[in-house]
Amino acid sequence: MKPYQTALKAALAAVLMAAPASNAFAADITVSAAASLSNAFKDIAAQYEKQYPQDKIKLNTAGSGTLLQQVLQGAPVDVLAFADQETMDKAQAQNVIDTKTRRNFALNSLVIAAPKDSKLKVNTLGDLESGQFDRIAVSNPASVPVGRYTKAALEKAGIWNALQPKIINTQHVRQSLDYVARGEVDAGFVYNTDAALMKDKVKVLKTVPTEKPVSYPIAVAKQTAVRKEAERFTAFVLSPKGQAVLNKYGFKKP
């Protein structure tokens, strides 16, 4: 073989070896997270990418029930973060997650929010039966955790059925928050962290006790093709850096 051919062969070999190596540890990580996590997870994703610039976080947010249906219908996802244990239990029962990676990473609280300039008050849940409250935003309890927490609290108070004519159903907690902020409803059930995002437009009338803690679980999806990176993102959420971001947005440690 002539010298230039040998050199060319060596150069080509070097290029072929180098090309995959440059992307060997790069990954697109699709994270499906509950709507109430939108702002916090955008911040966490930015910090994660700064620490691991070879990775890219693709954030998908919606109601927890919607996210579960998406993955059951074949949508690609690497990490799931829900706003309640029930949805994650369903994911586990459907063999969607790697159960060994399931962890609780945050706590929240349920509140009744009203437009900032509202004069209405809520001392007990029974006050919602008053004629002063005509429209109350509640997320769909069949698919949205905040709706399930709300329904359980109102059923315990014995007023769930009585309030049905007043309830405006929403697709997720952020839609309820928007309705309150725009004054389209007299009150809405949202998370404390959501109300905190719009302090200039909404105020909290009452914190609502829940029988089950408003806890958020996270897990790696079984179908992931980037397991190492998905586990690394999950670990980042649970790390002091991730927890500091969550705390900034009002979430508590589990």
Side-chain angles (χ1 to χ4, degrees):
M1 185 177 291
K2 295 181 180 180
Y4 78 89
Q5 291 177 319
T6 301
L8 180 60
K9 186 176 180 181
L12 285 171
V15 169
L16 290 172
M17 290 177 68
S22 63
N23 295 313
F25 301 103
D28 286 341
I29 307 167
T30 300
V31 177
S32 287
S36 53
L37 293 166
S38 298
N39 299 71
F41 264 42
K42 284 179 183 177
D43 201 336
I44 287 176
Q47 292 199 25
Y48 175 89
E49 289 176 351
K50 186 176 181 180
Q51 186 166 330
Y52 303 101
Q54 71 274 25
D55 293 344
K56 176 67 177 177
I57 302 298
K58 294 182 176 179
L59 190 59
N60 171 42
T61 58
S64 295
T66 298
L67 296 176
L68 178 57
Q69 288 306 309
Q70 288 175 355
V71 70
L72 288 174
Q73 292 167 14
V77 62
D78 303 301
V79 177
L80 291 161
F82 295 139
D84 70 339
Q85 300 299 325
E86 184 176 328
T87 306
M88 192 64 84
D89 289 343
K90 290 179 180 178
Q92 186 168 324
Q94 294 278 355
N95 206 30
V96 168
I97 64 167
D98 179 350
T99 57
K100 292 183 293 185
T101 65
R102 180 175 176 173
R103 297 287 187 277
N104 294 334
F105 68 93
L107 291 174
N108 212 336
S109 55
L110 179 67
V111 302
I112 299 173
K116 188 73 173 180
D117 59 356
S118 174
K119 304 300 182 184
L120 299 176
K121 294 183 179 181
V122 175
N123 295 312
T124 69
L125 291 177
D127 292 340
L128 295 174
E129 293 186 275
S130 162
Q132 293 180 304
F133 291 92
D134 292 323
R135 295 164 63 85
I136 303 169
V138 177
S139 297
N140 183 4
S143 59
V144 186
V146 71
R148 282 196 286 275
Y149 292 123
T150 300
K151 182 181 179 181
L154 294 177
E155 283 182 334
K156 186 176 181 180
I159 60 173
W160 171 251
N161 291 330
L163 290 181
Q164 289 308 301
K166 301 183 177 189
I167 289 179
I168 307 300
N169 282 303
T170 65
Q171 296 180 344
H172 49 71
V173 70
R174 289 299 172 85
Q175 187 175 37
S176 293
L177 182 67
D178 286 341
Y179 284 180
V180 174
R182 294 198 298 262
E184 294 178 9
V185 294
D186 301 303
F189 285 81
V190 300
Y191 294 124
N192 185 56
T193 53
D194 295 299
L197 291 171
M198 289 192 172
K199 287 182 178 179
D200 59 328
K201 295 181 178 180
V202 307
K203 63 181 179 181
V204 173
L205 299 183
K206 181 177 178 59
T207 298
V208 182
T210 55
E211 288 191 351
K212 295 180 180 179
V214 182
S215 61
Y216 289 64
I218 191 169
V220 173
K222 270 200 171 181
Q223 69 177 22
T224 182
V226 288
R227 177 166 300 279
K228 180 180 177 181
E229 291 80 5
E231 290 180 353
R232 184 162 64 194
F233 177 79
T234 300
F236 189 85
V237 172
L238 292 159
S239 73
K241 285 186 179 180
Q243 290 295 305
V245 173
L246 289 163
N247 181 258
K248 182 178 76 171
Y249 285 94
F251 292 93
K252 306 296 183 183
K253 287 185 177 181

